[in-house]
Amino acid sequence: QDHCCLSKDPTPDDPRIIMSSASQSNSVVSLTPPDGASCWLCLEEGPDDSGAPLVRDCSCRGHSGFAHLPCLIQYAESKSRDLAERGALTLREFFQEKIFEQCPNCKQTFQGNIPYGMTTAQLAFFEREFKDVQSWQMGALMKRIHVLDGRKDVDRIEGEEICTKMLSLIDEMKKNSNLLDVILPVSVNKEIGRFNSEMGTKQCLEKAKYYLKKARDIMKTSEDCKPWAVELIEGEIAAVEARISGDSRPKKEESDLSSLRARYYYMLQMNGENDVGTMQVGTLLASKLFNAYHTIEASRLLDRLVIISCRVHGSYHKQTKIAESWRQRLQLRCAFIGSEQQPYQALRYEDDGDSCIVQGPVPKNVPRNDDDCQTFSVPSVEISFSLGTPVMLHGLKKAAHLNGEIGDVREYCKLSGRCVVHLEDKDLKPVKVKHENLRIVFDLPDPKNLD
């Protein structure tokens, strides 16, 4: 029996087990401008003359930060002209300013639909006024393709055109080595690979594999080669190869986790924990940890990310809501009763752990309605754990020193009938434990160390 009751490839918009309808409705927050809110640029309330509404998808709070998209575009274009007049024409210098990418007030990256409109305007503006500045052109093309969704027809057509333009522009920039940073071809090939991977056809996946391998090989020959970056690209290649072959999940999962951890810690050092990009990579890391049944590590990370995002960006921010949604999913404890194939949610223990209160059954692919669930008590010995369930060891005699240690159930050994538990204490080796010597951990205790 497979003790994992959840899908193996979750995404922030595709939970392993869909939350109850009540939880879902509570997670939707309206961003309708409050009464009296006005555009901080033109100072007008309500829609502008073209009908463009007030929007805000950054970290501003209260009445601040609302603006019309045309006003934001006009402001960004004006700032770009000022930067050009000061002679900052290199790709690195310009895009460090993030003029089209972040709110000038809270200095945080735009979220939601705003980047789609801003990147469209940025690309058109550069093609109109800075056509000869190849580095700016390339940067605008890369920003644009990054927000496109290869699964949508309109975006797919535009994205294919951008891929052709970027490859042509790289060839032009090679003629002037002063304009071509070795990292730029890596980034271009990665973006083309990512976009083709999104489109998902077998032909596109083969293209994705080709361009990702090209990015990896360029990175390997670079003097500025970062091993974690190479590992990350290799993980993307493995994921594409798995899709081509029809496998449900890529190989080298632990290697992929190591490279993603390295990327997250690198971004922590370079950009700090308050940066939206750092938080996004952290949330991605948590989702991959969850997928690999490292639930405790994922939960610790998400606890931290939610606290930081609430403090810096506020509870309404998209990143806060995504991280909080993931944290809610990780708090769900699923188990099986006897030989039943359908999972139940374990709620708590009673009678000194001899019985467990469960609720369910839990549906896999439809929203859960708590009114349709039954809540009842079952003997704890009849409970079997889903993979990834946090557990505590207890009642061990020969290895009494392990009693009280917590870890994740990563495997189930059919031969011995025991769970393979990877303990949170990294100094301890994984252990095979009988079900009766394990208890579900509903609330994680404070970590022994925070480093």
Side-chain angles (χ1 to χ4, degrees):
Q1 179 184 3
D2 182 358
H3 290 273
C4 180
C5 60
L6 310 177
S7 157
K8 293 185 177 180
D9 292 296
T11 66
D13 298 318
D14 179 25
R16 298 183 178 197
I17 285 186
I18 301 177
M19 293 182 293
S20 67
S21 54
S23 299
Q24 287 182 318
S25 62
N26 290 336
S27 67
V28 177
V29 181
S30 173
L31 292 179
T32 303
D35 292 339
S38 62
C39 174
W40 67 271
L41 289 161
C42 71
L43 304 182
E44 294 293 330
E45 296 183 15
D48 66 4
D49 293 339
S50 68
L54 289 173
V55 295
R56 183 186 72 184
D57 212 337
C58 55
S59 297
C60 290
R61 308 183 192 186
H63 285 65
S64 66
F66 287 98
H68 305 111
L69 184 60
C71 292
L72 288 173
I73 292 170
Q74 185 178 8
Y75 174 85
E77 290 178 349
S78 176
K79 294 290 289 184
S80 298
R81 294 188 189 98
D82 292 343
L83 196 62
E85 291 175 0
R86 297 202 304 268
L89 296 179
T90 68
L91 178 67
R92 189 180 302 275
E93 287 176 321
F94 178 80
F95 284 98
Q96 280 179 344
E97 298 291 329
K98 299 183 178 179
I99 297 173
F100 282 83
E101 297 175 61
Q102 69 179 21
C103 171
N105 300 305
C106 66
K107 306 299 181 184
Q108 297 298 331
T109 305
F110 290 126
Q111 304 291 311
N113 294 325
I114 295 179
Y116 196 93
M118 294 297 285
T119 53
T120 300
Q122 182 183 39
L123 183 56
F125 172 66
F126 285 176
E127 289 179 342
R128 185 173 68 247
E129 298 195 21
F130 299 99
K131 196 169 185 177
D132 296 330
V133 186
Q134 292 178 325
S135 59
W136 284 25
Q137 286 284 318
M138 180 62 79
L141 289 167
M142 290 178 62
K143 295 296 183 184
R144 179 58 183 163
I145 197 172
H146 191 72
V147 303
L148 296 180
D149 186 346
R151 295 165 295 185
K152 298 179 180 178
D153 290 341
V154 175
D155 285 5
R156 183 173 66 250
I157 294 171
E158 182 184 356
E160 289 174 338
E161 293 175 352
I162 290 177
C163 289
T164 301
K165 288 182 180 179
M166 289 195 297
L167 292 172
S168 176
L169 195 53
I170 281 287
D171 291 337
E172 288 294 322
M173 295 176 74
K174 284 179 181 177
K175 299 175 183 178
N176 185 350
S177 59
N178 293 330
L179 291 177
L180 189 59
D181 187 325
V182 70
I183 301 301
L184 186 56
V186 174
S187 300
V188 168
N189 282 285
K190 276 191 63 179
E191 283 296 335
I192 295 175
R194 179 200 62 80
F195 187 74
N196 276 278
S197 176
E198 268 190 357
M199 288 192 282
T201 66
K202 188 168 183 179
Q203 183 180 7
C204 289
L205 290 173
E206 291 289 354
K207 284 185 179 180
K209 178 180 174 181
Y210 170 80
Y211 285 109
L212 288 171
K213 283 187 172 182
K214 194 172 180 180
R216 178 200 61 191
D217 295 341
I218 295 172
M219 174 61 78
K220 282 184 175 180
T221 59
S222 168
E223 295 180 358
D224 193 32
C225 178
K226 298 178 176 64
W228 66 264
V230 174
E231 290 181 5
L232 194 62
I233 298 174
E234 288 179 341
E236 295 178 36
I237 294 171
V240 170
E241 290 176 336
R243 292 175 64 189
I244 292 173
S245 64
D247 292 342
S248 60
R249 62 195 300 181
K251 301 176 182 178
K252 298 171 55 183
E253 191 170 74
E254 290 299 325
S255 175
D256 294 345
L257 285 177
S258 296
S259 61
L260 193 54
R261 282 193 194 95
R263 180 184 175 191
Y264 174 62
Y265 294 135
Y266 175 79
M267 294 191 70
L268 277 175
Q269 293 174 0
M270 296 299 296
N271 303 331
E273 64 181 11
N274 294 344
D275 179 71
V276 169
T278 302
M279 294 184 191
Q280 289 172 339
V281 174
T283 305
L284 175 62
L285 172 58
S287 71
K288 297 299 183 182
L289 288 167
F290 182 38
N291 188 47
Y293 314 128
H294 295 234
T295 306
I296 293 177
E297 183 181 354
S299 297
R300 302 283 194 206
L301 176 56
L302 283 167
D303 286 345
R304 179 69 178 163
L305 290 172
V306 170
I307 291 173
I308 295 171
S309 192
C310 280
R311 172 171 52 82
V312 177
H313 307 298
S315 58
Y316 293 169
H317 195 273
K318 178 182 178 181
Q319 179 56 39
T320 305
K321 291 190 285 183
I322 290 175
E324 177 58 36
S325 175
W326 268 110
R327 184 167 70 167
Q328 289 180 19
R329 296 168 200 173
L330 266 66
Q331 289 173 345
L332 185 67
R333 303 289 186 253
C334 282
F336 293 89
I337 302 173
S339 59
E340 290 192 37
Q341 299 295 317
Q342 209 162 7
Y344 288 77
Q345 180 181 358
L347 300 177
R348 63 185 180 276
Y349 284 111
E350 291 187 344
D351 303 324
D352 293 327
D354 290 337
S355 60
C356 183
I357 305 299
V358 298
Q359 185 180 73
V362 178
K364 286 186 179 181
N365 301 313
V366 295
R368 177 180 166 190
N369 187 343
D370 290 342
D371 294 336
D372 295 334
C373 294
Q374 296 180 340
T375 303
F376 54 96
S377 175
V378 295
S380 297
V381 293
E382 295 183 10
I383 292 290
S384 56
F385 311 109
S386 298
L387 295 183
T389 300
V391 292
M392 178 179 290
L393 280 60
H394 80 105
L396 297 174
K397 296 181 179 178
K398 293 183 178 179
H401 63 287
L402 296 178
N403 289 328
E405 295 289 343
I406 66 172
D408 304 307
V409 176
R410 302 273 179 85
E411 303 173 58
Y412 181 72
C413 181
K414 292 183 179 180
L415 185 62
S416 64
R418 301 187 180 199
C419 296
V420 180
V421 180
H422 288 241
L423 300 171
E424 185 179 26
D425 188 338
K426 302 304 180 185
D427 293 331
L428 299 173
K429 296 180 180 180
V431 291
K432 294 181 180 179
V433 187
K434 295 179 180 179
H435 281 83
E436 55 263 33
N437 293 118
L438 296 174
R439 289 286 182 268
I440 297 173
V441 177
F442 294 100
D443 298 304
L444 294 178
D446 292 336
K448 295 181 178 179
N449 52 67
L450 300 175
D451 52 348

